[in-house]
Amino acid sequence: MTATDAKKWFRVHRRAADPRLRLVCFPHAGGTAQLFHGWSALLPADVEVLAVRYPGRQDRLAEACIEDMATLADTIEDALRPWLDRPLALFGHSMGACVAYEVALRLEARGIVPEHLLVSAREAPQWDEHSALHDADDEALITHVRHLGDLHSEAYDIPELRELLLPALRSDYRLIEGYHPPHPAPVKTPITAYIGQDDTSCVLDGVLAWSGLTTPGSFELCPFPGDHFYLVAREAEVLADVAARLARACGAGQV
């Protein structure tokens, strides 16, 4: 992958010329890098935010979506190579939590252990869940998304926007619903699992199952008030917690 090709995968938010750490952020199914646009302002200045830009949406609308987890994780890990000169932490929301985990596995296979894996609003990969919403009709899929929480769901009421948004949403659901690793491997990095206390899409035992994918004593659960998209309404609180965990991971008082 060329440097130009790698850059299209990330929207980079930088406040310091020489960042100490990079936080790579992975959106949810149907989501975009826009979810993380305000994060750099709420994190320490020397934390650089790389928001992943999946194909098939926004300024990558003309590109085909990726519907296979291994292909997506391989491609993102490859695209990260120009940014491996600083420590990394990974944050993934919903589908993005599983993508972040798979990228962490690939980085560790190359000898690069992320400082922290932060997973949000998603059960662990080994939690047995079989659904086929990607095969549902448009109205059923949109109804499901609206049930998760009100995050720009009004866009589906506009026919022109619905036509643009639905292909990426359906492709992402095809990817995550086809992701069933029978024996997911543990990572060396600590894992923190964030969850909205009113998120009916996540079974608590399934979220706690992330503890089996890191070393003993290296898992924490961190609940916040709210639904599947709690991190929007609670952004400042969530990022204060993220910043504190990154600081501890780096062994310093401030990241």
Side-chain angles (χ1 to χ4, degrees), residues 9 16 19 27 45 54 60-61 70 77 112 125 154 158 161 164-165 205 208 231 255:
W9 277 92
Y54 302 138
R60 300 188 68 185
L61 187 63
E77 187 270 336
I112 300 168
E154 68 278 2
I158 304 170
L161 290 179
L164 291 175
L165 296 173
D205 284 348
L208 291 172
L231 75 173
V255 177

Side-chain angles (χ1 to χ4, degrees), residues 70-141:
T71 302
L72 182 60
D74 285 346
T75 307
I76 294 173
E77 187 270 336
D78 190 35
L80 271 172
R81 295 189 182 195
W83 283 276
L84 296 181
D85 60 328
R86 297 290 186 277
L88 296 178
L90 311 179
F91 182 104
H93 182 65
S94 195
M95 178 189 85
C98 291
V99 184
Y101 159 74
E102 287 289 337
V103 171
L105 283 176
R106 285 155 174 77
L107 289 169
E108 290 190 1
R110 297 182 56 215
I112 300 168
V113 179
E115 299 294 323
H116 213 101
L117 174 59
L118 306 139
V119 295
S120 169
R122 185 72 194 180
E123 294 147 347
Q126 70 270 31
W127 190 255
D128 189 25
E129 177 188 2
H130 292 275
S131 58
L133 283 163
H134 67 274
D135 285 330
D137 62 36
D138 291 351
E139 291 304 323
L141 183 55

Side-chain angles (χ1 to χ4, degrees), residues 214-237:
T214 186
T215 56
S218 296
F219 170 82
E220 287 190 69
L221 177 71
C222 187
F224 281 92
D227 58 22
H228 193 67
F229 295 108
Y230 72 91
L231 75 173
V232 176
R234 300 282 177 172
E235 186 175 66
E237 298 166 62

